[in-house]
Amino acid sequence: MTHSHTRVLIVDDHPMVAEGIRALLETFDDIEVVECLTNGQEAVDQLAELAPDVILLDLNMPQMGGLTATEIILERAPETRILILSMHDSPEYIGAALSHGAMGYVLKDVPTDDVKDAIDTVMRGEKYLCDGAQAAMSPKTRDGREALTGREQTILLELAQGKSNRDVAETLDISVRTVETHRKNIKRKLGISSTAGLTRYALEHGVLQGTGRF
């Protein structure tokens, strides 16, 4: 990455949000906003042409959500820094984004300077969580319940899609016994006793949104 300016691509299906972020970022001399796109598929299709250094990527978008787009983009251009820009502050969302390869997570209500700080941070090769995301990922959730770890969040996402323990083990390259242990811990932490309950929890908390698989 030898650009004198940081090339930023904004991907959000709400034009007012995207253009608002664009206008704010363009007030910084070292930022060049290369384009505003409306979904992950467009970002994947135009990745080579636009060659962004950083992508500000929403999670829930039509055609292709942010998580699927993140995986494909990083396969094609591993040096790209992806910052998830979302309204959702649940640890499940944040954990899933990070586990898919995003380098940072920024809530949409943060001040402009925080977005700029996030861009500068990931350009240095460091991970970034805004204050709200950090609070969501703390050891205890706001209702006092123990939060899921990043690996538990990833496994919850897999289980909620109807995968068996063996399927999850193969996907994550871990043993079936390890998946079973995580599954028990997830149920204990969430106070859920059945697989159907896990799926219902995932749906109610938006865990399945943004995967591009539904």
Side-chain angles (χ1 to χ4, degrees):
M1 297 185 181
T2 58
H3 315 298
S4 58
H5 294 74
T6 299
R7 295 170 59 83
V8 177
L9 170 62
I10 300 169
V11 187
D12 193 299
D13 61 326
H14 297 93
M16 289 183 64
V17 173
E19 290 300 330
I21 295 170
R22 178 179 199 153
L24 293 170
L25 288 179
E26 286 180 341
T27 64
F28 297 98
D29 293 337
D30 58 345
I31 295 286
E32 177 188 357
V33 178
V34 295
E35 188 60 89
C36 290
L37 303 176
T38 59
N39 63 68
Q41 186 63 60
E42 290 181 351
V44 168
D45 291 344
Q46 299 184 46
L47 179 64
E49 176 187 352
L50 296 173
D53 299 315
V54 177
I55 301 179
L56 292 177
L57 189 62
D58 193 10
L59 281 180
N60 300 332
M61 296 178 290
Q63 295 188 47
M64 182 185 292
L67 295 184
T68 299
T70 295
E71 290 184 348
I72 297 173
I73 288 167
L74 292 179
E75 285 176 1
R76 298 184 180 182
E79 73 281 1
T80 307
R81 274 79 161 168
I82 294 181
L83 273 170
I84 297 299
L85 188 66
S86 177
M87 61 182 287
H88 300 287
D89 64 354
S90 73
E92 291 81 14
Y93 267 107
I94 302 166
L98 296 177
S99 70
H100 278 70
M103 287 192 67
Y105 198 100
V106 181
L107 297 175
K108 288 186 176 180
D109 60 356
V110 302
T112 312
D113 286 346
D114 286 9
V115 179
K116 176 62 163 62
D117 187 30
I119 292 171
D120 291 343
T121 299
V122 299
M123 281 299 292
R124 293 194 300 268
E126 303 169 13
K127 296 209 170 179
Y128 182 93
L129 292 179
C130 70
D131 290 344
Q134 288 186 41
M137 295 298 284
S138 64
K140 295 288 184 179
T141 57
R142 279 167 292 185
D143 61 4
R145 187 180 61 212
E146 188 178 356
L148 301 183
T149 65
R151 175 45 63 95
E152 287 168 351
Q153 292 158 17
T154 301
I155 288 175
L156 173 60
L157 178 64
E158 297 291 329
L159 293 173
Q161 294 175 55
K163 294 184 179 180
S164 67
N165 288 351
R166 185 169 298 280
D167 291 337
V168 176
E170 291 177 356
T171 298
L172 301 179
D173 194 24
I174 57 179
S175 71
V176 175
R177 184 178 294 276
T178 298
V179 175
E180 291 171 349
T181 299
H182 282 304
R183 188 175 192 144
K184 289 178 183 176
N185 288 335
I186 292 168
K187 288 181 177 180
R188 174 181 58 80
K189 289 181 178 181
L190 300 181
I192 294 171
S193 59
S194 67
T195 300
L198 288 178
T199 302
R200 185 166 56 253
Y201 174 91
L203 288 168
E204 291 174 352
H205 289 78
V207 175
L208 293 176
Q209 298 181 33
T211 64
R213 298 170 183 166
F214 291 86

Short mmCIF file of all heavy atoms in Angstrom, two decimals, residues 138-167:
data_model
loop_
_atom_site.label_atom_id
_atom_site.label_comp_id
_atom_site.label_asym_id
_atom_site.label_seq_id
_atom_site.Cartn_x
_atom_site.Cartn_y
_atom_site.Cartn_z
N SER A 138 -17.19 -6.96 26.71
CA SER A 138 -16.61 -7.13 28.04
C SER A 138 -17.03 -8.47 28.63
O SER A 138 -18.00 -9.08 28.18
CB SER A 138 -17.05 -5.99 28.96
OG SER A 138 -18.44 -6.02 29.16
N PRO A 139 -16.32 -8.98 29.66
CA PRO A 139 -16.61 -10.31 30.21
C PRO A 139 -18.06 -10.49 30.66
O PRO A 139 -18.58 -11.59 30.62
CB PRO A 139 -15.65 -10.42 31.39
CG PRO A 139 -14.51 -9.56 31.00
CD PRO A 139 -15.12 -8.40 30.26
N LYS A 140 -18.69 -9.44 31.10
CA LYS A 140 -20.09 -9.54 31.50
C LYS A 140 -20.95 -8.65 30.61
O LYS A 140 -20.59 -7.52 30.32
CB LYS A 140 -20.28 -9.07 32.96
CG LYS A 140 -19.59 -9.97 33.97
CD LYS A 140 -20.29 -11.30 34.13
CE LYS A 140 -19.64 -12.15 35.22
NZ LYS A 140 -20.31 -13.43 35.41
N THR A 141 -22.07 -9.17 30.16
CA THR A 141 -22.97 -8.35 29.38
C THR A 141 -23.71 -7.40 30.31
O THR A 141 -23.66 -7.51 31.52
CB THR A 141 -24.00 -9.22 28.63
OG1 THR A 141 -24.71 -10.01 29.59
CG2 THR A 141 -23.31 -10.14 27.64
N ARG A 142 -24.43 -6.45 29.70
CA ARG A 142 -25.04 -5.40 30.51
C ARG A 142 -26.11 -5.92 31.46
O ARG A 142 -26.43 -5.30 32.46
CB ARG A 142 -25.62 -4.32 29.59
CG ARG A 142 -24.58 -3.35 29.09
CD ARG A 142 -25.10 -2.49 27.97
NE ARG A 142 -25.33 -3.29 26.77
CZ ARG A 142 -25.69 -2.76 25.60
NH1 ARG A 142 -25.88 -1.48 25.49
NH2 ARG A 142 -25.89 -3.53 24.56
N ASP A 143 -26.70 -7.08 31.16
CA ASP A 143 -27.71 -7.63 32.08
C ASP A 143 -27.07 -8.55 33.12
O ASP A 143 -27.76 -9.24 33.85
CB ASP A 143 -28.81 -8.36 31.31
CG ASP A 143 -28.28 -9.54 30.50
OD1 ASP A 143 -27.07 -9.83 30.59
OD2 ASP A 143 -29.07 -10.17 29.78
N GLY A 144 -25.73 -8.57 33.16
CA GLY A 144 -25.04 -9.36 34.17
C GLY A 144 -24.75 -10.78 33.75
O GLY A 144 -24.05 -11.50 34.46
N ARG A 145 -25.25 -11.18 32.58
CA ARG A 145 -25.01 -12.53 32.11
C ARG A 145 -23.61 -12.63 31.50
O ARG A 145 -23.12 -11.69 30.90
CB ARG A 145 -26.05 -12.89 31.04
CG ARG A 145 -26.03 -14.34 30.58
CD ARG A 145 -27.09 -14.56 29.52
NE ARG A 145 -26.83 -13.72 28.38
CZ ARG A 145 -27.78 -13.21 27.60
NH1 ARG A 145 -29.03 -13.42 27.87
NH2 ARG A 145 -27.47 -12.46 26.55
N GLU A 146 -22.98 -13.77 31.70
CA GLU A 146 -21.64 -13.96 31.15
C GLU A 146 -21.70 -13.97 29.63
O GLU A 146 -22.53 -14.66 29.03
CB GLU A 146 -21.07 -15.29 31.66
CG GLU A 146 -19.61 -15.51 31.32
CD GLU A 146 -19.08 -16.81 31.89
OE1 GLU A 146 -19.85 -17.50 32.60
OE2 GLU A 146 -17.93 -17.14 31.61
N ALA A 147 -20.84 -13.19 29.00
CA ALA A 147 -20.85 -13.07 27.54
C ALA A 147 -20.19 -14.29 26.89
O ALA A 147 -19.35 -14.96 27.48
CB ALA A 147 -20.13 -11.80 27.11
N LEU A 148 -20.58 -14.55 25.65
CA LEU A 148 -19.95 -15.63 24.88
C LEU A 148 -18.58 -15.17 24.40
O LEU A 148 -18.37 -14.01 24.08
CB LEU A 148 -20.81 -15.98 23.66
CG LEU A 148 -22.24 -16.45 23.91
CD1 LEU A 148 -22.90 -16.82 22.59
CD2 LEU A 148 -22.29 -17.62 24.87
N THR A 149 -17.65 -16.11 24.35
CA THR A 149 -16.34 -15.81 23.78
C THR A 149 -16.47 -15.72 22.26
O THR A 149 -17.49 -16.10 21.68
CB THR A 149 -15.33 -16.91 24.12
OG1 THR A 149 -15.74 -18.13 23.48
CG2 THR A 149 -15.23 -17.14 25.63
N GLY A 150 -15.42 -15.23 21.61
CA GLY A 150 -15.44 -15.13 20.16
C GLY A 150 -15.66 -16.48 19.50
O GLY A 150 -16.43 -16.61 18.55
N ARG A 151 -14.99 -17.52 20.00
CA ARG A 151 -15.16 -18.85 19.42
C ARG A 151 -16.58 -19.37 19.66
O ARG A 151 -17.18 -19.99 18.77
CB ARG A 151 -14.12 -19.82 20.03
CG ARG A 151 -14.24 -21.30 19.61
CD ARG A 151 -14.46 -21.51 18.14
NE ARG A 151 -13.38 -21.07 17.29
CZ ARG A 151 -12.41 -21.85 16.85
NH1 ARG A 151 -12.36 -23.12 17.18
NH2 ARG A 151 -11.48 -21.37 16.03
N GLU A 152 -17.13 -19.11 20.84
CA GLU A 152 -18.51 -19.53 21.12
C GLU A 152 -19.50 -18.83 20.21
O GLU A 152 -20.48 -19.43 19.75
CB GLU A 152 -18.84 -19.26 22.59
CG GLU A 152 -18.15 -20.22 23.55
CD GLU A 152 -18.24 -19.78 25.00
OE1 GLU A 152 -18.69 -18.64 25.27
OE2 GLU A 152 -17.85 -20.56 25.87
N GLN A 153 -19.25 -17.55 19.92
CA GLN A 153 -20.13 -16.81 19.00
C GLN A 153 -20.07 -17.42 17.61
O GLN A 153 -21.10 -17.56 16.93
CB GLN A 153 -19.72 -15.34 18.98
CG GLN A 153 -19.99 -14.62 20.28
CD GLN A 153 -19.13 -13.38 20.44
OE1 GLN A 153 -18.56 -12.89 19.48
NE2 GLN A 153 -19.03 -12.88 21.66
N THR A 154 -18.88 -17.78 17.17
CA THR A 154 -18.73 -18.40 15.85
C THR A 154 -19.48 -19.73 15.79
O THR A 154 -20.18 -20.03 14.82
CB THR A 154 -17.25 -18.63 15.53
OG1 THR A 154 -16.56 -17.37 15.56
CG2 THR A 154 -17.07 -19.27 14.16
N ILE A 155 -19.35 -20.53 16.84
CA ILE A 155 -20.01 -21.84 16.88
C ILE A 155 -21.53 -21.67 16.95
O ILE A 155 -22.28 -22.42 16.31
CB ILE A 155 -19.48 -22.67 18.06
CG1 ILE A 155 -18.04 -23.12 17.75
CG2 ILE A 155 -20.37 -23.88 18.34
CD1 ILE A 155 -17.34 -23.84 18.87
N LEU A 156 -22.00 -20.67 17.71
CA LEU A 156 -23.44 -20.39 17.75
C LEU A 156 -23.96 -20.07 16.36
O LEU A 156 -25.02 -20.56 15.95
CB LEU A 156 -23.72 -19.23 18.71
CG LEU A 156 -25.18 -18.72 18.72
CD1 LEU A 156 -26.14 -19.84 19.14
CD2 LEU A 156 -25.32 -17.52 19.65
N LEU A 157 -23.21 -19.26 15.62
CA LEU A 157 -23.62 -18.92 14.25
C LEU A 157 -23.73 -20.16 13.39
O LEU A 157 -24.70 -20.32 12.63
CB LEU A 157 -22.60 -17.95 13.65
CG LEU A 157 -22.84 -17.51 12.21
CD1 LEU A 157 -24.12 -16.71 12.10
CD2 LEU A 157 -21.66 -16.69 11.70
N GLU A 158 -22.78 -21.08 13.53
CA GLU A 158 -22.79 -22.31 12.75
C GLU A 158 -23.96 -23.21 13.15
O GLU A 158 -24.69 -23.75 12.31
CB GLU A 158 -21.47 -23.07 12.92
CG GLU A 158 -20.24 -22.33 12.42
CD GLU A 158 -20.20 -22.20 10.92
OE1 GLU A 158 -20.71 -23.11 10.24
OE2 GLU A 158 -19.66 -21.21 10.42
N LEU A 159 -24.14 -23.39 14.46
CA LEU A 159 -25.22 -24.26 14.97
C LEU A 159 -26.59 -23.72 14.59
O LEU A 159 -27.51 -24.48 14.27
CB LEU A 159 -25.12 -24.40 16.49
CG LEU A 159 -23.90 -25.16 17.02
CD1 LEU A 159 -23.85 -25.06 18.54
CD2 LEU A 159 -23.93 -26.62 16.58
N ALA A 160 -26.73 -22.40 14.63
CA ALA A 160 -28.03 -21.78 14.34
C ALA A 160 -28.43 -21.96 12.88
O ALA A 160 -29.60 -21.81 12.53
CB ALA A 160 -27.99 -20.30 14.69
N GLN A 161 -27.46 -22.30 12.03
CA GLN A 161 -27.76 -22.56 10.63
C GLN A 161 -28.13 -24.03 10.40
O GLN A 161 -28.26 -24.48 9.27
CB GLN A 161 -26.55 -22.18 9.76
CG GLN A 161 -26.26 -20.69 9.78
CD GLN A 161 -25.00 -20.35 9.01
OE1 GLN A 161 -24.87 -20.69 7.83
NE2 GLN A 161 -24.07 -19.68 9.65
N GLY A 162 -28.28 -24.77 11.51
CA GLY A 162 -28.73 -26.15 11.41
C GLY A 162 -27.61 -27.17 11.23
O GLY A 162 -27.88 -28.34 10.93
N LYS A 163 -26.39 -26.76 11.41
CA LYS A 163 -25.26 -27.68 11.24
C LYS A 163 -25.13 -28.60 12.45
O LYS A 163 -25.40 -28.19 13.59
CB LYS A 163 -23.96 -26.91 11.03
CG LYS A 163 -23.93 -26.12 9.73
CD LYS A 163 -22.58 -25.45 9.53
CE LYS A 163 -22.53 -24.69 8.22
NZ LYS A 163 -21.22 -24.03 8.01
N SER A 164 -24.69 -29.81 12.21
CA SER A 164 -24.46 -30.77 13.30
C SER A 164 -23.12 -30.46 13.96
O SER A 164 -22.30 -29.70 13.44
CB SER A 164 -24.42 -32.19 12.74
OG SER A 164 -23.28 -32.37 11.91
N ASN A 165 -22.89 -31.09 15.11
CA ASN A 165 -21.60 -30.92 15.78
C ASN A 165 -20.44 -31.32 14.85
O ASN A 165 -19.40 -30.68 14.81
CB ASN A 165 -21.54 -31.77 17.05
CG ASN A 165 -22.42 -31.21 18.15
OD1 ASN A 165 -22.95 -30.11 18.03
ND2 ASN A 165 -22.60 -31.97 19.22
N ARG A 166 -20.65 -32.41 14.11
CA ARG A 166 -19.60 -32.88 13.20
C ARG A 166 -19.36 -31.87 12.07
O ARG A 166 -18.21 -31.62 11.70
CB ARG A 166 -19.98 -34.25 12.63
CG ARG A 166 -18.88 -34.87 11.77
CD ARG A 166 -19.20 -36.32 11.45
NE ARG A 166 -19.26 -37.14 12.64
CZ ARG A 166 -18.21 -37.62 13.29
NH1 ARG A 166 -16.98 -37.33 12.83
NH2 ARG A 166 -18.35 -38.35 14.36
N ASP A 167 -20.44 -31.31 11.54
CA ASP A 167 -20.30 -30.30 10.48
C ASP A 167 -19.50 -29.11 10.98
O ASP A 167 -18.61 -28.59 10.28
CB ASP A 167 -21.68 -29.81 10.01
CG ASP A 167 -22.44 -30.88 9.25
OD1 ASP A 167 -21.80 -31.80 8.71
OD2 ASP A 167 -23.68 -30.80 9.21
#
